[in-house]
Amino acid sequence: MEILKEISEALQVGNAKKVKELVQKALDDGIRPNDILNNGLIEGMSIVGVKFKNNEIYVPEVLIAARAMQAGMDVLKPLLTASGVEPIGKVVIGTVQGDLHDIGKNLVKMMMQGAGFEVIDLGVDVSAEKFIEAVNEYNPNIVAMSALLTTTMIQMKNVIEALKNAGLRDKVKVMVGGAPVTANFAKEIGADGYAKDAAEAAELAKTYVV
Ligand code: B1M
């Protein structure tokens, strides 16, 4: 669809205003929020990722594209998240220590909210200690961790070890995800589950509270 291509292109050049307007127009045209997300916004961001990798663009351009992505996600948010319903469970979510990538984590949060969870978002660069404090404070069903760097994904293991040391491991399900994370890695570090994308993450989370 032409408008989804336009959304992807506006995102790639970091035009947040245009992304916002186009996402709204796509919704008004009756395009489903998930199609706008996957074939417009995420599609655009994956092209940004390839250009970044090939040194065709640099951190500032990626940051501007990330802001445009967030602007588009803000328009979709009310449609992807449930409101006014009794939560089906509680999730503590964060991007692990040393890692500042939050777009995927924010999407997972939205999808989980859409599935009926109350989500406590600890943000980015979250240390094991902060995860433990939050588990003690909020008593969640699930701890959800995101990592986008091969150098930070190992922090997920530290959080699981910290949960064990604090005697909390059996009280929560731990799920992990993010581009470099795999199902095998999740198993190796002793997580309960892995999801490859935000929709799958919400589905997996539901299986932990039924
Ligand atoms: Co960064 N970055 N970045 N970056 N960045 C990557 C991740 C990279 C792959 C780019 C590349 O080289 N191609 C590369 C990592 C290489 C590696 O480790 N293997 C990289 C690098 C190297 C870096 C820096 C080190 C660059 C530098 O400074 N030299 C630096 C590190 C900063 C830090 O974190 N300490 C850095 C910085 C940044 C920006 C700040 C500029 C910006 C982040 C802005 C922000 O998040 N607010 C940024 C961005 C935007 C990217 C790319 C281009 C896009 C990431 C993204 O948002 N994708 C990325 C390249 C790429 O991924 N193609 C890249 C869209 C998002 C929807 O996808 O986050 O994967 P994603 O989430 C997916 C799934 O992974 C999954 O669901 C989502 C889809 O539905 N998912 C989960 C995510 N979390 C989950 C949790 C779950 C389940 C599923 O359960 C709990």
Side-chain angles (χ1 to χ4, degrees):
M1 255 172 278
E2 191 53 36
I3 190 156
L4 299 183
K5 198 165 163 244
E6 283 178 49
I7 290 172
S8 163
E9 284 166 1
L11 185 148
Q12 290 170 50
V13 296
N15 190 338
K17 189 166 171 274
K18 193 163 178 199
V19 169
K20 217 170 153 179
E21 285 166 6
L22 287 169
V23 169
Q24 188 56 57
K25 185 171 184 306
L27 285 174
D28 296 343
D29 289 350
I31 301 176
R32 291 184 310 146
N34 272 336
D35 286 339
I36 301 172
L37 183 62
N38 292 324
N39 304 323
L41 298 173
I42 293 182
E43 166 68 19
M45 190 47 98
S46 60
I47 296 172
V48 168
V50 172
K51 288 184 178 164
F52 186 34
K53 193 176 178 184
N54 296 338
N55 292 322
E56 288 170 45
I57 57 169
Y58 298 94
V59 172
E61 288 101 319
V62 180
L63 260 182
I64 295 167
R67 281 194 205 124
M69 169 111 189
Q70 193 61 53
M73 277 163 52
D74 287 346
V75 180
L76 295 179
K77 194 173 173 185
L79 298 156
L80 297 175
T81 58
S83 60
V85 285
E86 194 60 29
I88 60 169
K90 212 185 277 180
V91 181
V92 158
I93 194 168
T95 301
V96 296
Q97 188 160 32
D99 201 321
L100 304 175
H101 296 85
D102 67 355
I103 296 173
K105 184 262 297 162
N106 293 345
L107 261 180
V108 172
K109 174 182 164 185
M110 275 187 212
M111 292 291 187
M112 284 181 167
Q113 288 172 326
F117 285 93
E118 177 187 348
V119 184
I120 295 115
D121 184 358
L122 305 180
V124 296
D125 191 19
V126 182
S127 64
E129 293 72 27
K130 277 199 200 148
F131 274 108
I132 300 300
E133 272 170 32
V135 171
N136 279 321
E137 185 176 348
Y138 299 106
N139 195 22
N141 310 83
I142 300 167
V143 169
M145 290 182 266
S146 177
L148 263 286
L149 299 171
T150 43
T151 48
T152 58
M153 57 197 266
I154 195 64
Q155 292 295 335
M156 293 171 160
K157 187 169 187 231
N158 295 344
V159 175
I160 292 173
E161 290 304 316
L163 284 168
K164 280 186 195 156
N165 294 339
L168 296 168
R169 180 64 188 92
D170 295 337
K171 297 198 170 149
V172 290
K173 293 286 186 189
V174 176
M175 50 185 290
V176 294
V181 179
T182 61
N184 262 348
F185 176 76
K187 213 169 173 186
E188 259 172 51
I189 62 169
D192 295 292
Y194 157 81
K196 76 168 185 328
D197 60 33
E200 205 178 287
E203 286 308 312
L204 179 64
K206 281 199 265 179
T207 66
Y208 293 147
V209 292
V210 286

